[in-house]
């Protein structure tokens, strides 16, 4: 019977040792779970920051697109205004030149003839646009 009691005592000691190992393991698991919860909280906060940044970037992109559209329209409007000014300027200069050519033609028609008129016209155009 004494051997049986020793055997039971030995088994109980072994069980106690196994329980202590299990308790240590459970404590380690609980610690790891707390660390994971902390890491998940950090990740959630980071994700929230990323989502906010993404929304800001999207708003900035929309603003840039609108600005580019306005800029394009302003360029088109400005070009049409400048084109009209250039056309008006060329028309004014052409009208003035035609008037001068007409005056030269009238004044030269009775003098020497068409060769004289052509020579005067080239000289006048040459001196005017130099």
């Amino acid at each position: 019977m004494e051997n049986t009691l020793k055997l039971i005592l030995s088994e109980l000691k072994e069980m106690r040792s196994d329980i202590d190992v299990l308790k240590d393991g459970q404590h380690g698991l609980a610690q790891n779970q707390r660390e994971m919860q902390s890491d998940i909280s950090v990740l959630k906060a980071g994700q929230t920051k990323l989502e906010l940044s993404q929304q800001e970037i999207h708003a900035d992109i929309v603003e840039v697109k609108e600005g580019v559209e306005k800029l394009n329209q302003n360029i088109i409007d400005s070009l049409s205004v400048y084109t009209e000014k250039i056309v008006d300027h060329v028309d004014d200069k052409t009208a003035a030149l035609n008037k001068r050519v007409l005056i030269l033609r009238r004044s030269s028609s009775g003098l020497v003839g068409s060769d004289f008129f052509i020579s005067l016209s080239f000289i006048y155009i040459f001196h005017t646009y130099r």
Side-chain angles (χ1 to χ4, degrees):
M1 173 127 167
E2 192 175 316
N3 282 340
T4 308
L5 287 176
K6 285 184 183 180
L7 185 61
I8 292 174
L9 182 62
S10 169
E11 286 293 323
L12 285 174
K13 286 181 181 178
E14 223 176 278
M15 287 176 66
R16 171 65 72 189
S17 174
D18 289 345
I19 290 172
D20 288 341
V21 168
L22 288 172
K23 283 183 180 178
D24 288 343
Q26 184 180 9
H27 177 70
L29 287 173
Q31 178 66 27
N32 288 341
Q33 184 180 9
R34 284 190 294 275
E35 288 175 5
M36 286 176 69
Q37 286 174 341
S38 174
D39 292 345
I40 289 171
S41 295
V42 169
L43 287 172
K44 284 181 180 179
Q47 182 178 0
T48 302
K49 286 181 182 179
L50 285 173
E51 288 171 353
L52 288 174
S53 295
Q54 183 182 12
Q55 290 171 356
E56 290 174 1
I57 289 171
H58 179 66
D60 290 343
I61 288 171
V62 168
E63 185 178 333
V64 167
K65 284 182 179 180
E66 289 172 356
V68 167
E69 288 176 16
K70 287 180 184 177
L71 181 62
N72 285 338
Q73 188 59 46
N74 287 342
I75 289 172
I76 290 168
D77 293 343
S78 296
L79 284 176
S80 67
V81 167
Y82 289 126
T83 302
E84 288 176 25
K85 287 182 180 183
I86 290 170
V87 168
D88 290 344
H89 179 73
V90 169
D91 287 346
D92 291 345
K93 292 295 182 179
T94 303
L97 181 60
N98 286 339
K99 185 177 178 182
R100 289 178 185 152
V101 168
L102 182 61
I103 292 170
L104 281 174
R105 187 178 284 172
R106 284 182 187 161
S107 65
S108 66
S109 65
L111 294 175
V112 176
S114 63
D115 290 337
F116 179 71
F117 167 71
I118 293 172
S119 298
L120 282 178
S121 296
F122 283 121
I123 291 171
Y124 177 75
I125 291 170
F126 178 74
H127 286 293
T128 303
Y129 289 101
R130 236 188 333 164

